[in-house]
Amino acid sequence: MEMNVIDLFREEYLPGSTVSIIYDAYSSAWRIPLLLLRHAVENGRVGIISNYLGPIRSFIRKASTVGFDMETALQKGDVAVIDLFGTRYGSRESISNVFYLDKVEPETLNPKIDRIYNTHLKSLIQDRPVFRLVYTLDGVSLLLGEDNTLKLLNQTLASRTRQLPDSILVLALNRDVVSTRFVAWVSGISDYVILAKSWLEETGLKEALYLISAPYEDFEPEMYSFRVTKRKGMEKLRVRKISP
């Protein structure tokens, strides 16, 4: 039976969890974090995105592929973006609830992001649960290096666990950009791990999703076929369980 990719997650185990979506260069699974963002916002969470991959306008367009109107969400305060890519490369936009730093360097990055949380984002997050998205983790590694990225993520996990214990943290990662060691470490710190694999056949691109890890006692790894459909919005990404 085919189902929505969101159904892979048990809602009651998401608060406080770290979710890693790991995919390859040709996979369509980069849309899954964006669908999770839309789902979270539509269910009352405020989305906080750390953007490391491309100009903010590019992120807004990508979000639209799952039917999520990012510009409206930004204007309403349902979403905020800390635009690290724009900060580093000078592609700054005057958009509500998009924030920039003076510079991006590993030694001061987390304190500067903390300052944004404690000032600009304080009113947005004080009465609502939070969904946090790092888009993408390989983008962080290209800006700062793999070792610095791992250190900064460790610090973030520790500080946000204290500050926002019920928040959901989603890490999007293109594994073709980083080392096997990096992927292994990210998998190890995650509660949910979804691995996407793509390959080409004569009939076109095929994809599979592997639910490798989940934070509940009766969990067992599962494999699904995965496809992007012509359906709109939340129903666009579909999976079908493959029997063992």
Side-chain angles (χ1 to χ4, degrees), residues 51-59 83 85-86 91 135:
N51 175 48
Y52 293 89
L53 188 70
I56 185 63
R57 292 289 179 184
S58 175
F59 184 89
D83 190 2
F85 181 93
S91 58
Y135 202 86

Side-chain angles (χ1 to χ4, degrees), residues 4 14 22 26 43 63 77 88 102 116 122 145 148 200 221 234-235:
N4 192 313
L14 279 172
I22 303 170
Y26 303 110
N43 284 274
R88 170 60 71 89
D102 57 343
I116 291 177
K122 188 174 182 179
N148 284 329
L200 288 172
M234 292 300 300
E235 297 300 318

Side-chain angles (χ1 to χ4, degrees), residues 21 29 53 63 68 75 84 87-88 94 122 137 159 161 172 177-178 197 218 221 235 240:
I21 311 296
L53 188 70
F68 186 48
Q75 291 169 5
L84 291 310
T87 297
R88 170 60 71 89
S94 182
K122 188 174 182 179
L137 205 55
S159 64
T161 297
V177 177
V178 296
K197 287 190 175 183
D218 62 343
E235 297 300 318
R240 184 187 299 271

Side-chain angles (χ1 to χ4, degrees), residues 154-183:
N154 264 336
Q155 294 170 6
T156 298
L157 288 170
S159 64
R160 297 288 179 264
T161 297
R162 294 192 303 270
Q163 183 184 13
L164 300 167
D166 293 326
S167 68
I168 301 166
L169 172 62
V170 174
L171 307 172
L173 176 62
N174 184 335
R175 71 175 183 274
D176 286 344
V177 177
V178 296
S179 68
T180 302
R181 166 181 168 269
F182 189 92
V183 176

Side-chain angles (χ1 to χ4, degrees), residues 119-148:
T119 55
H120 301 295
L121 301 180
K122 188 174 182 179
S123 62
L124 296 182
I125 66 178
Q126 63 183 359
D127 296 321
R128 286 185 288 178
V130 175
F131 175 96
R132 296 180 288 136
L133 172 59
V134 177
Y135 202 86
T136 61
L137 205 55
D138 50 283
V140 187
S141 74
L142 289 174
L143 283 181
L144 304 175
E146 288 191 6
D147 287 344
N148 284 329

